[in-house]
């Protein structure tokens, strides 16, 4: 099984790609702001709601009961004022009945409110958990190229934050929105019955405000979308800074990182301030409208009472129903903002879910049988970016059970060749064939399960030594596990820890030395028993004694397997069956060590220069200098 699940190889070829460049601020300006397309979002919204239709219907029913119960108090206020408390003809016997009715209505409201929270809020949280699982699974199945173009922090924000708002679609948000409209309609009918003139006059003012609200939401929606994007970028940079804290401290760059993060936070603050300005304007407008409505009712209602067409109870009841009608409309400002946030998050989630999984290519239908190990590159060309080729017509063959070493200067294309063998990318032209089968047509799951990869930068999870080694083969036996540990010399240090193989290694294996991390990575590949083995500077972090011991284990692992080795320490590849010298995306020399050394070309130059450098490192100052003639 591949030890590189979920990507990771993308970093290996970073030196061969032209950097994307630009700061977080510059990247943010490259993508134009746009509003969520609600028409395009409707299928997603419908897909979310459809399985929970019964839940929402039950929620709507509970909300309807809750809102009708809420109308009991204003409805009974007229009877209370005009009959029970009438100065001329009081009816005190009605007071207990009114109190009992109002108290019962409040109990009904309390029960329905509790039921709504239990029913819908929990359903909303379950939906969030479900969507996070779906998005994470989908992101994990995307190509390495997608990871190359997107920051880790941005992807984390997509998985964790963007789905948060959907609770307002299935949770209480949507139901409260509908419940508010229901309350407003019922109150409006009562108000029309009481006085059509006063009600239509008031409603014209409120209708104007609703029109303004619609315009305001169009302005707020893209701001929320932009906020999520900025937040993802800032989180991404913060994630990188925390992960690279040793590099930052090593170069005394704390202040520079604080400055970069500060710029991102300032952009986020600007966005929040802009949204706060708009929402505060809406709040002020709603207060103004409320004042206008109150003044109108006082004027018209006061005249109606003075002309004896209304009683005091009518006036008081009208005001209470008017408040019940207007209040939901103003609540729509908050609920509408929540729904807008939900649509924006759903839109961003839809974008990432629309990305094609790397194994969804219609051409990838062929199941890879058990690999024998014959690998052939046939005139392969490749470019990460259009018009910027990295490989130029690479052709070579690696026969079953042989060791092929790739050497050359940094950025020459070695890691890109490895990336193509792993099928992390597909050639721009030409073919990569394994046992005569074009990798572009192979189901990746059936192919990569037969690969083993050991990188120079050994990635470890924040778990135990055992968990990290067993990652490549969770069903391995204890005997197989211990054999891999002994072969990779993991037992030498692991068994000295108090917790042995259950010792927690820390994030990215920070509690272990570089050599210990690399031994774990080698043990992980050993346990996988791969058919094709890829070693990218697999022993670079080891001392000479450890390297010699582990090399013996690797030699045992290589028997019967096709192995590809990237090595800068050329002394480690003398026994390779073939050595490919790669420069500027081309194979400039090929052969074994003896042949290439005798050739006196690029390999000879690299080998002698490296050995001269290694020897000079141990000479006293001036000891190896030439004496001028």
């Amino acid at each position: 099984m591949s030890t590189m699940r979920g990507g990771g190889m993308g970093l290996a070829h970073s030196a061969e790609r032209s950097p994307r460049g630009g700061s977080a601020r510059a990247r943010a300006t490259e993508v134009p702001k746009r509003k969520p397309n609600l028409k395009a979002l409707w299928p997603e919204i419908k897909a979310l709601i459809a399985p929970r239709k019964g839940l929402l219907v039950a929620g709507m029913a509970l909300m309807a009961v809750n809102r009708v119960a809420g109308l009991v108090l204003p409805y009974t206020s007229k009877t209370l004022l005009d009959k029970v408390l009438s100065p001329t003809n009081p009816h005190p016997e009605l007071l207990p009945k009114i109190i009992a009715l109002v108290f019962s209505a409040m109990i009904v409201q309390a029960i329905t409110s509790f039921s709504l929270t239990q029913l819908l809020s929990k359903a909303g949280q379950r939906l969030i958990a479900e969507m996070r699982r779906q998005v994470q699974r989908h992101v994990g199945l995307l190509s390495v190229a997608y990871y190359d173009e997107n920051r880790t922090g941005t992807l984390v924000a997509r998985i964790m934050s963007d789905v948060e708002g959907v609770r307002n679609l299935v949770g209480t948000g949507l139901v409260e929105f509908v419940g508010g409209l229901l309350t407003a309609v019922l109150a409006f009918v009562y108000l029309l019955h009481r006085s059509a003139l006063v009600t239509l006059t008031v409603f014209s003012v409120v209708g104007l405000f609703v029109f303004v609200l619609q315009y305001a939401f169009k302005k707020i929606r893209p701001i929320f979308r932009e906020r999520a994007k900025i937040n993802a970028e800032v989180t991404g940079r913060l994630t990188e800074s925390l992960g690279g804290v040793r590099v930052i401290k090593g170069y005394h760059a704390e202040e520079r990182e604080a400055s970069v993060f500060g710029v991102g936070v300032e952009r986020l603050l600007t966005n929040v301030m802009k949204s706060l300005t708009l929402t505060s304007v809406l709040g002020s407008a709603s207060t103004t409208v409320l004042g206008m409505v109150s003044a109108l009712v006082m004027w018209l209602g006061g005249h109606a009472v003075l002309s004896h067409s209304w009683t005091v109870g009518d006036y008081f009841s009208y005001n209470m129903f008017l408040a019940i009608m207007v209040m939901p409309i103003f609540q729509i400002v908050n609920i509408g903002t929540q729904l807008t946030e939900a649509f924006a998050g759903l839109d961003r989630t839809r974008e990432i879910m629309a990305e094609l999984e790397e194994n969804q290519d219609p051409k990838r239908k062929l199941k890879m049988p058990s690999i024998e190990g014959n690998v052939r590159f046939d005139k392969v060309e490749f470019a990460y970016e259009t018009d910027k080729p990295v490989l130029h017509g690479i052709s070579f063959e690696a026969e079953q059970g042989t060791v092929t070493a790739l050497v050359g200067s940094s950025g020459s294309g070695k890691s890109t060749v490895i990336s193509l063998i792993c099928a992390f990318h597909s050639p721009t032209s030409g073919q990569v064939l394994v046992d005569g089968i074009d990798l572009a047509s192979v189901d990746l799951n059936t192919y990569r399960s037969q690969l083993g990869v050991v990188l120079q930068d050994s990635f470890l999870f924040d778990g135990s030594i055992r968990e990290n080694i067993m990652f490549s083969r969770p069903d391995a036996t204890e005997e197989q596990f211990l054999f891999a540990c002994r072969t990779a010399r993991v037992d030498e240090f692991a068994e000295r820890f108090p917790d042995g193989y259950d010792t927690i290694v820390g994030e990215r294996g920070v509690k272990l030395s570089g050599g210990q991390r690399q031994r774990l990575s080698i043990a992980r590949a050993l346990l996988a028993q791969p058919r094709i083995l890829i070693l990218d500077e697999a022993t670079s972090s080891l001392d000479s004694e450890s390297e010699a011991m582990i090399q013996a284990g690797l030699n045992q692992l290589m028997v019967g397997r096709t192995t590809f080795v990237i090595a800068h320490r050329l002394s480690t590849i003398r026994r390779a069956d073939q050595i490919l010298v790669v420069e500027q995306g081309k194979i400039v020399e090929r052969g074994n060590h003896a042949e290439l050394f005798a050739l006196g070309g690029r390999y000879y130059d690299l080998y002698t220069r490296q050995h001269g450098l290694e020897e000079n490192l141990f000479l006293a100052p001036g000891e190896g200098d030439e004496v001028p003639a």
Side-chain angles (χ1 to χ4, degrees):
M1 183 178 289
S2 169
T3 62
M4 289 300 301
R5 294 182 189 172
M9 191 69 185
L11 295 175
H13 59 254
S14 59
E16 295 160 16
R17 301 192 58 179
S18 59
R20 287 175 303 200
S23 63
R25 181 192 294 273
R27 281 196 300 274
T29 57
E30 292 170 4
V31 182
K33 297 180 183 179
R34 67 179 185 84
K35 296 179 247 180
N37 187 338
L38 295 183
K39 186 176 180 180
L41 277 176
W42 176 243
E44 275 76 17
I45 297 171
K46 189 176 179 181
L48 287 174
I49 292 176
R52 300 163 181 85
K53 194 180 296 180
L55 194 67
L56 286 173
V57 169
M60 295 294 183
L62 286 170
M63 181 59 73
V65 172
N66 181 278
R67 293 309 172 98
V68 170
L71 297 176
V72 171
L73 179 60
Y75 185 77
T76 56
S77 62
K78 174 178 168 55
T79 306
L80 179 67
L81 289 173
D82 290 345
K83 292 187 176 182
V84 178
L85 303 179
S86 172
T88 56
N89 187 24
H91 295 276
E93 71 278 1
L94 295 177
L95 184 59
K97 296 178 181 178
I98 293 174
I99 292 173
L101 183 61
V102 171
F103 183 75
S104 300
M106 295 302 173
I107 293 295
V108 169
Q109 278 192 294
I111 293 172
T112 51
S113 295
F114 175 80
S115 301
L116 278 169
T117 302
Q118 292 296 307
L119 193 67
L120 295 179
S121 294
K122 289 184 177 180
Q125 292 302 321
R126 280 193 290 268
L127 175 61
I128 290 172
E130 181 183 329
M131 287 193 68
R132 280 178 179 156
R133 284 192 292 266
Q134 289 177 358
V135 177
Q136 187 278 333
R137 181 184 179 280
H138 182 76
V139 169
L141 294 172
L142 296 179
S143 67
V144 171
Y146 184 84
Y147 286 86
D148 294 341
E149 298 298 328
N150 291 273
R151 284 182 168 189
T152 303
T154 302
L155 296 177
V156 170
R158 289 290 179 94
I159 296 169
M160 297 303 296
S161 302
D162 285 355
V163 301
E164 277 281 344
V166 298
R167 68 180 183 275
N168 292 311
L169 295 177
V170 176
T172 55
L174 182 61
V175 172
E176 284 181 2
F177 185 84
V178 175
L181 289 179
L182 174 64
T183 304
V185 169
L186 292 175
F188 182 65
V189 170
Y190 177 86
L191 295 175
L192 275 178
H193 170 71
R194 183 56 57 197
S195 174
L197 174 63
V198 177
T199 302
L200 292 176
T201 304
V202 169
F203 194 76
S204 63
V205 177
V206 175
L208 180 63
F209 178 65
V210 171
F211 178 78
V212 173
L213 274 184
Q214 188 177 8
Y215 174 77
F217 285 145
K218 289 181 181 179
K219 294 291 184 182
I220 291 176
R221 193 174 294 128
I223 293 175
F224 275 110
R225 178 179 176 81
E226 185 68 11
R227 182 188 301 180
K229 189 197 308 179
I230 296 171
N231 188 58
E233 289 175 1
V234 173
T235 303
R237 181 66 186 200
L238 180 60
T239 303
E240 290 174 356
S241 298
L242 296 176
V245 66
R246 286 170 176 76
V247 176
I248 292 169
K249 287 187 175 295
Y251 289 98
H252 189 52
E254 293 94 339
E255 290 300 321
R256 273 181 287 157
E257 277 304 305
S259 176
V260 172
F261 182 70
V263 170
V265 170
E266 188 64 30
R267 287 177 57 223
L268 188 60
L269 177 63
T270 302
N271 179 279
V272 172
M273 291 298 189
K274 193 183 297 183
S275 64
L276 286 175
T277 299
L278 283 173
T279 51
S280 61
V281 167
L282 285 177
S284 300
S286 64
T287 303
T288 303
V289 170
L290 188 60
M292 291 173 62
V293 168
S294 299
L296 277 172
V297 173
M298 288 178 70
W299 175 261
L300 298 174
H303 278 283
V305 173
L306 291 173
S307 64
H308 302 291
S309 58
W310 276 14
T311 64
V312 174
D314 289 329
Y315 178 79
F316 191 79
S317 177
Y318 188 92
N319 274 283
M320 292 188 73
F321 268 97
L322 181 62
I324 286 175
M325 184 193 82
V326 173
M327 193 182 301
I329 295 176
F330 291 114
Q331 286 176 341
I332 287 171
V333 175
N334 293 326
I335 298 172
T337 301
Q338 293 171 5
L339 292 177
T340 297
E341 187 180 356
F343 292 142
L346 191 60
D347 189 38
R348 291 187 300 272
T349 302
R350 181 176 64 91
E351 281 181 1
I352 198 169
M353 294 299 286
E355 292 286 339
L356 191 67
E357 295 176 8
E358 62 175 345
N359 213 26
Q360 282 183 336
D361 190 325
K363 295 184 294 184
R364 294 194 176 279
K365 298 295 183 184
L366 189 60
K367 303 290 184 183
M368 175 64 81
S370 181
I371 292 175
E372 293 180 6
N374 294 302
V375 179
R376 181 161 65 91
F377 273 52
D378 184 13
K379 299 177 181 177
V380 170
E381 296 195 3
F382 179 77
Y384 292 106
E385 300 177 22
T386 308
D387 301 326
K388 293 182 180 179
V390 176
L391 299 182
H392 307 272
I394 294 282
S395 293
F396 70 86
E397 186 166 357
E399 296 180 356
Q400 175 185 357
T402 61
V403 177
T404 298
L406 300 168
V407 302
S409 56
S410 296
S412 60
K414 305 184 298 296
S415 292
T416 300
V417 171
I418 295 301
S419 185
L420 292 172
I421 295 172
C422 292
F424 291 147
H425 299 88
S426 295
T428 307
S429 64
Q431 292 179 309
V432 178
L433 303 146
V434 175
D435 297 339
I437 301 172
D438 187 356
L439 288 185
S441 63
V442 168
D443 182 307
L444 294 173
N445 296 325
T446 61
Y447 173 62
R448 288 191 188 146
S449 61
Q450 303 183 67
L451 291 181
V453 184
V454 181
L455 298 179
Q456 181 178 5
D457 181 18
S458 305
F459 180 86
L460 299 179
F461 295 96
D462 185 12
S464 67
I465 292 174
R466 180 184 299 276
E467 288 168 345
N468 274 283
I469 295 175
M470 296 281 283
F471 183 79
S472 64
R473 193 177 171 189
D475 58 347
T477 65
E478 184 70 10
E479 184 181 354
Q480 291 167 333
F481 166 75
L482 292 175
F483 175 77
C485 290
R486 286 193 298 269
T487 306
R489 300 297 191 269
V490 172
D491 58 333
E492 291 182 358
F493 65 88
E495 293 180 1
R496 291 202 300 266
F497 292 136
D499 294 329
Y501 293 109
D502 294 321
T503 300
I504 301 299
V505 301
E507 186 177 5
R508 301 183 69 89
V510 70
K511 295 181 181 179
L512 302 179
S513 69
Q516 289 171 337
R517 288 197 297 271
Q518 211 151 24
R519 292 194 209 182
L520 255 67
S521 186
I522 292 169
R524 184 164 56 189
L526 283 163
L527 187 63
Q529 292 292 302
R531 300 304 305 159
I532 295 177
L533 179 65
I534 294 169
L535 306 173
D536 185 355
E537 284 294 311
T539 58
S540 62
S541 297
L542 304 175
D543 56 73
S544 299
E545 185 179 356
S546 297
E547 181 183 6
M549 290 188 295
I550 292 179
Q551 194 64 53
L554 289 175
N555 290 339
Q556 180 182 349
L557 175 64
M558 292 176 188
V559 175
R561 295 181 173 86
T562 306
T563 305
F564 293 88
V565 181
I566 292 180
H568 293 99
R569 195 185 299 175
L570 301 184
S571 59
T572 63
I573 58 169
R574 289 181 181 180
R575 297 180 182 178
D577 296 287
Q578 68 170 334
I579 300 171
L580 305 178
V581 183
V582 184
E583 292 295 340
Q584 297 182 355
K586 298 178 181 178
I587 297 176
V588 295
E589 293 176 4
R590 68 181 77 201
N592 59 35
H593 171 74
E595 292 168 347
L596 293 179
F597 192 83
L599 188 64
R602 178 61 175 155
Y603 179 80
Y604 175 86
D605 182 45
L606 289 170
Y607 191 86
T608 54
R609 184 182 301 174
Q610 186 177 100
H611 274 257
L613 178 63
E614 289 175 352
E615 290 170 5
N616 286 334
L617 288 174
F618 297 96
L619 295 178
E623 188 178 332
D625 297 343
E626 291 185 3
V627 179

